[in-house]
Amino acid sequence: MEKKQILSIVSNNLRNLMNKRGISVSDLARRCEMSSGTISKIMAGNMVLSVITAMKIAEGLDTDMSQLFDGLINDVLIEKESLEESDSTDVINIGILSLGNRRVTCILDQEGEVIGTSELNGGLDLVETAGKLIRDIQEAIDAAIHNSGNKVVNLKQAKLKLVTQSYEFENTRHKFIHFAERHFKEVILLSDWQLTYLSVFGEKPGISLIVDKGVSLSYHHDGVIKKLGGWKFPIYDFGGENWLGIETIRHTIKAVEGYFPMSELAKMVLSRFDGKIESIVENFFKGGLGADVSSTFTQFLLRSYFAKDPEAEKIIDHGVSFINQAIEQADKITGKKLNIVVQGSLVDIYKEKIDKNRLINHVSTHHNVELLSKLTKKSLLKRGILTE
């Protein structure tokens, strides 16, 4: 099929979808955060769609992206700047692992061989809109395809396995999976603690400790992988980045108000905000430093900690005491002192403060994401990680 014919079909489909929903060009442009001129060019058949643009428009129309390409031969696929045809029916598996502010991707062919990998800045967090998450996912897939030299992946034949932030937000998780299933053959969403445990211990007993924005400890008991913590709740997940950040702010306020002598940590924080507590509080509550505001203050704490500031060391040691409490709770539940693997953004700090006789090495990120892409719904149902 010639490019002109493809553009004509796409423009007709777009026009019909807009007419059915009573949506004007300006309305759709606003919903998609695009210019009216771009929408008009597509409607006139003068512009090809990238994957990102197609997803934005589909989201704005509240429809499946395939509706924009209804009538095209062989399930035409959109790529970065052009449209291509594919008659492949082979199922591929895609794993995308969100770690802090990174997305690591692995694509497997139908034989289970790695055909593409990528690593990009920017994690996947369920607090984002479903449309933005899908665009970030597509960007990661595109990068993996580009790096492999392969040009076409039919997303409708792809099984997507994801590890995202904010996994515990159950309603949000289910809504996102429902939305994502419009674009992929199958969608499985796991938490970092589930994947980390599986990658190190499989079905054997052990303790997997993740110390990141929150703190989660997972263990195998009564045939099921269970966890403690990991709620991304700064006043509960003691020892995590969010909690450490809040402790840093609390310490700075108390130092300014004279409860104890001004520390190097408090000076560092104040210097960032022109010496004003008011500015710190305002930025915290307005989220001016990013979505996980409190974890931003952890960076001040860590700098002071590595500079041997006694006050920073006290806060870290306080966090360690809570980490050890969680380990003791797992020991009590399982009735054993199991091997421990530690991972996460704070691993270098906490690993040095846990019983070294129980520590084992963690596996690489690339091993984790490859395992993620290989997981099946059947195996996860068997382990009790997924439910019907």
Side-chain angles (χ1 to χ4, degrees), residues 14-263:
L14 176 58
R15 190 177 295 106
N16 290 336
L17 288 167
M18 290 173 64
N19 288 338
K20 285 180 181 178
R21 288 161 174 74
I23 298 175
S24 67
V25 171
S26 59
D27 288 337
L28 183 58
R30 177 177 49 78
R31 292 186 182 191
C32 302
E33 297 181 349
M34 297 165 59
S35 70
S36 296
T38 297
I39 301 295
S40 297
K41 286 180 182 179
I42 298 169
M43 291 180 67
N46 294 328
M47 180 178 173
V48 297
L49 291 183
S50 68
V51 172
I52 301 300
T53 301
M55 286 183 172
K56 283 184 177 181
I57 291 175
E59 183 183 3
L61 292 169
D62 191 26
T63 189
D64 190 305
M65 190 171 69
S66 64
Q67 295 298 309
L68 288 169
F69 309 104
D70 185 41
L72 297 180
I73 297 173
N74 290 332
D75 192 16
V76 175
L77 302 177
I78 322 96
E79 289 201 312
K80 291 272 183 184
E81 296 297 336
S82 63
L83 298 174
E84 296 189 13
E85 295 180 14
S86 171
D87 57 3
S88 171
T89 58
D90 294 324
V91 173
I92 64 167
N93 289 282
I94 302 172
I96 304 180
L97 171 58
S98 178
L99 292 169
N101 197 36
R102 291 185 297 150
R103 282 163 290 164
V104 185
T105 302
C106 178
I107 303 178
L108 305 179
D109 64 16
Q110 64 275 14
E111 304 297 329
E113 297 296 324
V114 176
I115 60 172
T117 62
S118 68
E119 184 170 336
L120 300 178
N121 289 330
L124 301 174
D125 197 319
L126 291 179
V127 299
E128 300 283 358
T129 65
K132 183 182 185 306
L133 283 171
I134 290 292
R135 294 193 291 273
D136 288 343
I137 288 166
Q138 179 63 62
E139 182 184 35
I141 294 171
D142 285 350
I145 295 168
H146 176 76
N147 292 339
S148 71
N150 292 292
K151 292 186 176 181
V152 176
V153 167
N154 186 344
L155 299 186
K156 283 294 185 179
Q157 291 296 324
K159 292 185 176 182
L160 178 68
K161 297 85 180 282
L162 293 172
V163 166
T164 69
Q165 309 298 319
S166 305
Y167 172 86
E168 311 301 337
F169 297 176
E170 185 175 357
N171 291 335
T172 306
R173 182 171 76 244
H174 290 319
K175 287 179 182 178
F176 171 72
I177 291 174
H178 179 71
F179 182 84
E181 284 175 341
R182 299 177 181 180
H183 306 286
F184 298 90
K185 182 179 180 69
E186 180 180 277
V187 178
I188 295 174
L189 206 159
L190 301 177
S191 68
D192 55 356
W193 60 268
Q194 290 169 327
L195 178 64
T196 299
Y197 190 96
L198 290 173
S199 67
V200 177
F201 298 108
E203 296 184 20
K204 297 178 181 178
I207 291 175
S208 173
L209 177 65
I210 297 177
V211 283
D212 212 306
K213 288 183 172 61
V215 175
S216 64
L217 183 151
S218 52
Y219 58 96
H220 195 275
H221 188 59
D222 291 338
V224 180
I225 300 172
K226 302 178 181 179
K227 81 173 182 74
L228 300 170
W231 299 105
K232 200 180 180 182
F233 198 50
I235 61 172
Y236 180 74
D237 281 340
F238 308 114
E241 284 189 23
N242 286 329
W243 180 85
L244 290 172
I246 286 178
E247 289 299 294
T248 300
I249 297 171
R250 192 197 317 273
H251 169 84
T252 303
I253 293 174
K254 294 184 77 172
V256 168
E257 294 186 340
Y259 285 90
F260 42 71
M262 182 65 64
S263 67

Side-chain angles (χ1 to χ4, degrees), residues 251-306:
H251 169 84
T252 303
I253 293 174
K254 294 184 77 172
V256 168
E257 294 186 340
Y259 285 90
F260 42 71
M262 182 65 64
S263 67
E264 292 302 315
L265 172 59
K267 290 177 184 177
M268 182 183 294
V269 175
L270 286 167
S271 67
R272 171 65 174 77
F273 296 93
D274 299 323
K276 298 178 180 179
I277 287 294
E278 294 87 345
S279 296
I280 295 174
V281 175
E282 182 177 3
N283 274 275
F284 180 81
F285 282 102
K286 286 189 174 181
L289 299 175
D292 293 299
V293 184
S294 55
S295 67
T296 302
F297 287 86
T298 302
Q299 303 311 309
F300 300 122
L301 174 67
L302 296 181
R303 289 176 205 163
S304 293
Y305 175 76
F306 289 119

